[in-house]
Amino acid sequence: MRLFKSAILAAALGAIALASAYAAPNPPANGYPVNVDLTNAIITNTARAPATVTGTPATANTNWRGVVCAFKVTASSGSSTETWSIEGFDAATASWYTVATTAAISVNPYAAASVNTLSVYPGVATSSLSSGNAAQSAVLPRVWRLKDVIANVSGGPTVTSKGGCNYIN
């Protein structure tokens, strides 16, 4: 009888363990979550003049395959364009190179603010993207940075905008 009760208890515990294994998704094998915010905003432009180039400091990528960055213009005193890019660093030549870039995004003080994105991830679709979004099928380099260039279109307007990024595993 004792052996029978032990067998029933073992079967019940096994069923509970099996059920709890399927109750929640397993985390990725390397233990990192699928997406992680870097910060609230890694570039903040406040009334920046045209021809301004804003770049983040070099960022060490320790274990991520890609990144998606979002950009939003919140104010402008006139018409201009903004171009965002993700750059990698080559240690051998001590040079920055472009991994991916957006098309020039029109900035207009009368238009509603929209969010544009730039993604770098191996195998990401690069065609049929909705307006304002760009992507590059590539692995995020070990050292990278986000860069923003504001260009003058008419009358030297100033631009207020933000850009933030999320790592993708």
Side-chain angles (χ1 to χ4, degrees), residues 46-141:
T46 305
R48 296 278 181 161
T52 298
V53 177
T54 308
T56 60
T59 303
N61 173 21
T62 55
N63 200 28
W64 301 96
R65 295 175 62 199
V67 68
V68 60
C69 299
F71 322 105
K72 184 175 183 178
V73 175
T74 55
S76 174
S77 65
S79 297
S80 64
T81 62
E82 220 174 345
T83 304
W84 296 81
S85 59
I86 295 172
E87 296 182 326
F89 183 74
D90 177 57
T93 61
S95 303
W96 290 98
Y97 61 92
T98 301
V99 176
T101 190
T102 65
I105 300 166
S106 295
V107 176
N108 183 331
Y110 309 107
S114 62
V115 176
N116 297 283
T117 63
L118 177 59
S119 302
V120 170
Y121 192 79
V124 69
T126 58
S127 61
S128 302
L129 297 171
S130 58
S131 177
N133 299 308
Q136 179 65 44
S137 178
V139 175
L140 185 66

